[in-house]
Amino acid sequence: MAARDHWSRREFLRVSAMAGGGLLAACSFQQDSDPLAGGAGPEPEVPPPGPGDSWQANAFVRIAPDNRITILVGSAEIGQGTSTAVPMMLAEELDADWSLVGWEQSPTARDYANPKTFSQLTAGSATIVGLYRPQRRAGAAIRAMLVRAAAKRWGVSEDSLRTEASRVIDDAGGRSASYGELASEAAQQRAPTNPTLKNPADFRIIGQAKRRLDGADKAKGATVFGSDFHIPGMLTALIARPPAPIGRLGSGADTPERWNHEAALAVPGVEAVLAVDAGVVVVAQDFWAAKQGRDRLDVQWKRSSKPHIGSGEQRQRYTAKLDSPGLVLQRKGRGAQGLRGSGVISADYHFPYLAHAPMEPLNVVIDHAPGRCEIWTGTQWPDGDRGVAARVLGMQTSQVKFHTLPSGGSFGRRACSAHDFVDEAAQVAKVLQKPVKVLWTREDDIRGGYYRPSASCRLSAELDTQGLPASLSARLVTQSLVGNIGLDELATLGGAESNSAQGLTDLPYAIPNLLVDAHNSYDPVPVLWMRSVSAGFNVHARECFIDELAQAAGQDPLQYRRRLLQAQPRLLAVLDAAASAAGWGAPPAGHHQGIAVFSAYGSHIAQVVEASVDETSGLKLHRVVSAVDCGTAINPDLLIAQIESAVVFSLSSAMFGEITLEDGVPQQSNFQDYPMLRMYQTPRIDTVLVNSGGEPGGVGELGVPAVSAALANAIFAASGQRIRELPLRKHVRIE
Amino acid sequence: MRSILSIIKGPFMPSSLFAKRSAYRGTARTSLRARLHVLVLLLLTLPATASPLFGPIAEVLRHPRCMNCHTVTDFPRQGDERRRHAQLVMRGEDGHGAPTLPCAACHQDTNIDHAGVPGAPHWHLAPLSMGWEGLTDTQLCQTLIDRSRNGDRSIDSLLEHMRSDPLVLWGWNPGAGRTLPPLTHPQFMDALQAWRAAGAPC
Amino acid sequence: MPTIRINGADHAVDAPQDKPLLWVLRDDLRLTGTKYGCGRALCGACTVHVDGQPARACVLPCGTLGEREVTTVEAIGGSEIGRRVQQAWAEMNVPQCGYCQSGQVMAAAALLERIPHPTDRDIDQAMSGNLCRCGMYTRIRAAIHRVAEGL
């Protein structure tokens, strides 16, 4: 354990004094996971930076003379609370006075990469998992330097000093000094190579339900999101995109053939109408003029040769493919090839395309002139976006200054593997050469593609004499998230396909014979990961199917799962905790319960939904109980908020979410036909933490996949109806 | 009326029918009590024999553009399928929505075409007394002319309301994507005048 | 050129009469606390107060405001209830991404001004026009109750 806390060979911390006093620390830790780093050898102490070193650009902790500490966060704040939880981890080891800690979004630079994603990509529920140790190491190292500075100042041994609330305290000498006072001297100390990390039992900040550092500003409407960002002389652009979002930008998309240039230009405030690969762009003084101009464009589109698919036709194709073997992703025991005939229980589940629909539609502010470019946007992937912008503009990445702003939601949409929204904005800027904000309307967002893929999943099983599954086969038809971003060769590898098979290839249940195979369908619809990725459909199908097996075996769904999860103590613990908190088996009269489980990102969850269905198929949600074990919670209240969020997100998708295509064109456009749960439809949500200690797991996506299955299972309990396709509103009435 | 009377007075079923189905002959003469029972059932289920002059008017009033805000519930409806209004929009005490989410939070004096939000001056639900859902033509007609329920309107002022009230007129100018009532507004007025001329029969 | 009264000050705005108040606030006056979410009065992110009543700025033509007084999230903290709502929001970790919260705060303030001690049903009726994609409804409800306790 201690060894892991050493700075690795190419990991370093640079600390220096700030002009006017204070301390500024720069840290690089992304090489922790760099496969090329290799090699052991002694780890040299890193000397303080000399004049001219570029440490300032990468500073990630600032201690000001007035004792205020600012922690720069390299992960994106998309609502999940990184702007609070990441500083908490560093402040813990620093022994900072939390009331004086603030945060800032970091610049876009390698030093801020998350070792789990090898970049500044904020995704995969990896922020806490990836930064738990690096942030703590950095805090511990800076604390050690502050202690050294105080020891030197007072001529005492470091061991005789302790720290608390941003002060170094000399109990014997009856004196103390604030970090702010010591900062300049601390900056002259050598950074330790192996700072000692605290015993978790001594945590004073980690594990506390601290308020969000961004909460007050957000309640005041004072947070500057990308769509709020403004620079002098900035114009506003809207893009008329092809009605069918097929293929990647500029490659096989429908192309604009004719449009009413003059009508758009005639709108007061419209400055220019441009054609770029992304579509026809109306540039105006402000949004309203741009919108009026775009409404008058009347673009005639030339269809590409790519097929324009329909959802009904796709469903038929997927269903047919379920009958033929796919690429084997996992085989255990004797597989499950022989599953056919009587005694085999089988069910097909179908899932639609989903739109992320973050509350803040996409937007990019870009200021480009020859040899220079600066970009401001809410994104989960600033370094990736910057690379794409540089490519489009024919510039060096280093010439593009990229600022990440808080995102008004994202759920994966702003981690676009095609970086479409920044790509487009760069196309506009390249022609315009003026500062411009490219805005998306809600309709652009819902119709713009990059959907969570649609999928069909067939699950088949044979039960043993105990009623437990002896063999299970899972066959999946979907679009590969990797294959559809142009990495087709990767898509044929099991590793890439497994991106689509989350929840199937990591089955927690003890089933001796298992076969998971998949068909990658190359539909010309751009797809993208959405919160919980493929687990969103696979775990839904799996957990509904386990319920069907329990029913076939005549067993209680909770007890059935318990029998299959004996080798999964953490999952078993959350299952029992959820059942107990929900009063499993004894719901209020007329209410019915469903249960489901999910493990990923080092975390475990069990969820119980309590619902009722009336004689007119009217569905009402009453309560959702979740029990979570994520090891260690950095901020338990924000963890609970994430689960609450995931519950509403998942139930919204399960009940309402569906993008249908006709002739390639999405049929939904705004919240009236892509609805989500509202206040009055939201059930009581209770979340129980049963953390087992140890390394923290991820929680941002954890609460999504199981709860929708628990709902479908509750509907079965209430009505006897097995609904095997989403959204549920096709089968139950929801007002 | 003749057929109804015949239930009480006469042979209940045509004798030609019974000639072929002798098994029923024994029951051909049913008791008066049973006949009255059937009569009540028939009266409940028969289409109302409303004035033919009111029929076309009823068709207009029953159109979703009118009916969605002439509900008998504590909420308005939306769309031709008459789904419950989204967002938990309520009738409120005065028909203008809950004071915390009034109709006017979204609905302006005019249609907002860019948003597809319909609007007209004093946008609100008709009072419950003017709720038309579930009524037969006759009942609808009676509700319409009942001064205790129609806002104390005479037939003349009722016609004036239909002619000039901006909320009524909105029904024929509901904005893009909304269907229109089966009659044009002039046809509707003609129908109302013909009905009035005949003494506003129900 | 309409003159509109916003947060206690008159603004002569060089904008067409039918330009929605939302875009006058955001683009002409740079009061960006009021958010665009749907443009069709479906999400409530643009909620402001007009003479104290909640209204969706995205469908409110600026030329129809006349003498009516507009209050935005930038000024709602000036009222006792508005200040308490914002405080409860921060204390109870209500915001996640925060984008919808300007509208939520405005809707909640309007509710509590009219009904200082709302029932859950009152809250449902006042707040169901405001979408929160992060799904913080249970926290919004709890925070409204928290504010009510102090009134």
Side-chain angles (χ1 to χ4, degrees), chain A residues 126-276:
Chain A
T127 295
I128 298 298
V129 175
L131 298 183
Y132 182 58
R133 286 185 175 270
Q135 289 290 316
R136 288 174 61 206
R137 277 203 295 272
I142 299 163
R143 177 191 161 277
M145 294 163 76
L146 288 156
V147 170
R148 277 182 197 178
K152 211 170 254 181
R153 185 193 270 194
W154 295 328
V156 297
S157 125
E158 290 170 32
D159 296 341
S160 69
L161 302 176
R162 65 184 178 88
T163 52
E164 189 181 319
S166 293
R167 296 190 80 81
V168 180
I169 299 163
D170 174 11
D171 288 319
R175 59 196 156 185
S176 74
S178 76
Y179 286 179
E181 291 162 358
L182 292 165
S184 298
E185 291 155 62
Q188 305 309 316
Q189 309 302 317
R190 285 176 176 270
T193 53
N194 56 344
T196 309
L197 297 187
K198 284 183 182 178
N199 182 330
D202 299 327
F203 284 166
R204 282 182 284 196
I205 295 173
I206 290 176
Q208 299 296 308
K210 299 293 185 193
R211 278 188 216 170
R212 294 181 67 111
L213 295 177
D214 59 351
D217 273 357
K218 285 178 172 176
K220 289 176 183 160
T223 298
V224 176
F225 295 91
S227 49
D228 304 328
F229 191 76
H230 185 269
I231 49 177
M234 184 182 80
L235 298 166
T236 297
L238 291 184
I239 303 176
R241 298 178 184 80
I246 57 174
R248 301 171 69 200
L249 290 167
S251 73
D254 295 349
T255 48
E257 211 167 31
R258 290 192 312 279
W259 59 90
N260 199 334
H261 204 90
E262 287 69 30
L265 277 174
V267 173
V270 171
E271 303 256 313
V273 178
L274 321 166
V276 299

Side-chain angles (χ1 to χ4, degrees), chain A residues 78-79 353-361 407-414 442 445-446 451-452 530-531 641-659 671 674-679 682 704, chain C residues 37 43 45 94-101 104 130-137 140:
Chain A
I78 54 178
Y353 288 110
L354 294 176
H356 306 72
M359 283 310 297
E360 181 195 21
S407 291
S410 186
F411 316 108
R413 183 62 184 88
R414 290 177 158 96
R442 176 59 57 198
D445 171 62
I446 300 288
Y451 301 128
R452 198 291 305 268
M530 189 173 102
R531 195 176 189 178
Q642 279 284 52
I643 302 301
E644 291 167 352
S645 168
V647 165
V648 174
F649 189 86
S650 175
L651 295 178
S652 292
S653 298
M655 287 164 58
F656 305 111
E658 180 177 39
I659 297 290
F671 296 126
Y674 197 81
M676 47 198 61
L677 232 56
R678 292 179 178 274
M679 171 76 87
T682 300
V704 173
Chain C
C43 78
V94 172
Q96 284 211 346
C97 87
Y99 192 78
C100 75
Q101 295 299 350
Q104 305 279 3
N130 291 76
L131 288 175
C132 176
R133 183 62 162 153
C134 298
M136 292 294 95
Y137 299 123
I140 291 167

Side-chain angles (χ1 to χ4, degrees), chain B residues 45-75:
Chain B
T45 54
L46 274 178
T49 52
S51 161
L53 287 172
F54 190 73
I57 298 167
E59 277 189 51
V60 170
L61 301 185
R62 273 210 198 90
H63 190 272
R65 293 295 82 71
C66 305
M67 196 82 125
N68 281 350
C69 289
H70 276 270
T71 65
V72 296
T73 54
D74 62 354
F75 52 84

Side-chain angles (χ1 to χ4, degrees), chain A residues 338-375:
Chain A
L339 280 179
R340 59 182 54 180
S342 68
V344 174
I345 300 159
S346 189
D348 295 352
Y349 300 87
H350 302 281
F351 304 89
Y353 288 110
L354 294 176
H356 306 72
M359 283 310 297
E360 181 195 21
L362 298 168
N363 58 80
V364 178
V365 173
I366 182 165
D367 182 10
H368 167 63
R372 181 177 71 76
C373 179
E374 200 162 359
I375 295 173

Side-chain angles (χ1 to χ4, degrees), chain A residues 396-710:
Chain A
Q396 299 294 314
T397 301
S398 57
Q399 294 174 291
V400 177
K401 211 170 169 188
F402 197 101
H403 308 270
T404 303
L405 297 174
S407 291
S410 186
F411 316 108
R413 183 62 184 88
R414 290 177 158 96
C416 185
S417 40
H419 307 278
D420 64 320
F421 55 105
V422 173
D423 186 329
E424 282 184 357
Q427 293 174 31
V428 175
K430 188 175 185 176
V431 180
L432 195 64
Q433 306 263 325
K434 285 178 187 168
V436 63
K437 178 191 285 183
V438 180
L439 278 174
W440 291 52
T441 64
R442 176 59 57 198
E443 287 78 9
D444 296 341
D445 171 62
I446 300 288
R447 292 176 176 156
Y450 298 99
Y451 301 128
R452 198 291 305 268
S454 56
S456 293
C457 187
R458 172 172 296 168
L459 288 159
S460 312
E462 238 166 1
L463 304 185
D464 63 19
T465 52
Q466 306 293 307
L468 299 176
S471 307
L472 185 120
S473 140
R475 178 168 295 154
L476 180 68
V477 187
T478 188
Q479 286 173 258
S480 163
L481 291 168
V482 183
N484 281 277
I485 58 171
L487 301 172
D488 289 0
E489 65 281 7
L490 263 179
T492 58
L493 302 172
E497 289 290 5
S498 69
N499 197 272
S500 304
Q502 229 187 311
L504 298 177
T505 48
D506 51 356
L507 206 65
Y509 298 109
I511 300 173
N513 304 296
L514 183 68
L515 178 72
V516 180
D517 63 350
H519 295 275
N520 180 17
S521 183
Y522 288 88
D523 294 278
V525 179
V527 290
L528 181 60
W529 29 69
M530 189 173 102
R531 195 176 189 178
S532 88
V533 195
S534 57
F537 43 79
N538 293 326
V539 170
H540 180 97
R542 176 191 95 190
E543 291 299 309
C544 288
F545 190 63
I546 291 289
D547 248 53
E548 300 210 26
L549 298 184
Q551 183 199 354
Q555 296 180 27
D556 172 74
L558 167 66
Q559 294 307 327
Y560 196 72
R561 283 183 175 80
R562 292 195 85 257
R563 293 175 70 188
L564 288 169
L565 293 171
Q566 286 305 309
Q568 307 278 351
R570 293 179 68 188
L571 198 46
L572 205 55
V574 294
L575 184 64
D576 287 342
S580 161
W584 177 261
H591 296 191
H592 299 269
Q593 294 167 316
I595 195 164
V597 299
F598 177 54
S599 298
Y601 330 106
S603 300
H604 307 269
I605 190 166
Q607 292 170 296
V608 176
V609 170
E610 188 182 301
S612 58
V613 180
D614 68 21
E615 58 286 346
T616 65
S617 291
L619 170 69
K620 191 156 173 47
L621 305 174
H622 300 290
R623 191 180 177 207
V624 174
V625 176
S626 307
V628 177
D629 174 8
C630 70
T632 293
I634 306 305
N635 184 325
D637 192 49
L638 297 192
L639 189 162
I640 289 169
Q642 279 284 52
I643 302 301
E644 291 167 352
S645 168
V647 165
V648 174
F649 189 86
S650 175
L651 295 178
S652 292
S653 298
M655 287 164 58
F656 305 111
E658 180 177 39
I659 297 290
T660 51
L661 303 173
E662 277 180 28
D663 207 15
V665 179
Q667 298 300 297
Q668 290 70 29
S669 63
N670 208 316
F671 296 126
Q672 86 282 359
D673 49 17
Y674 197 81
M676 47 198 61
L677 232 56
R678 292 179 178 274
M679 171 76 87
Y680 75 102
Q681 297 162 319
T682 300
R684 172 180 160 191
I685 301 173
D686 298 312
T687 304
V688 185
L689 303 186
V690 285
N691 284 331
S692 53
E695 296 285 309
V699 296
E701 303 167 87
L702 183 70
V704 173
V707 70
S708 64

Side-chain angles (χ1 to χ4, degrees), chain B residues 87 90 99-101 105 108 114-115, chain C residues 39 41 53-54 56 59-60 114 126 129:
Chain B
Q87 310 189 25
M90 303 302 293
T100 51
L101 184 54
Q108 314 297 326
H114 65 79
Chain C
Q53 295 268 24
R56 309 295 187 230
V59 293
L60 184 51
R114 194 165 282 264

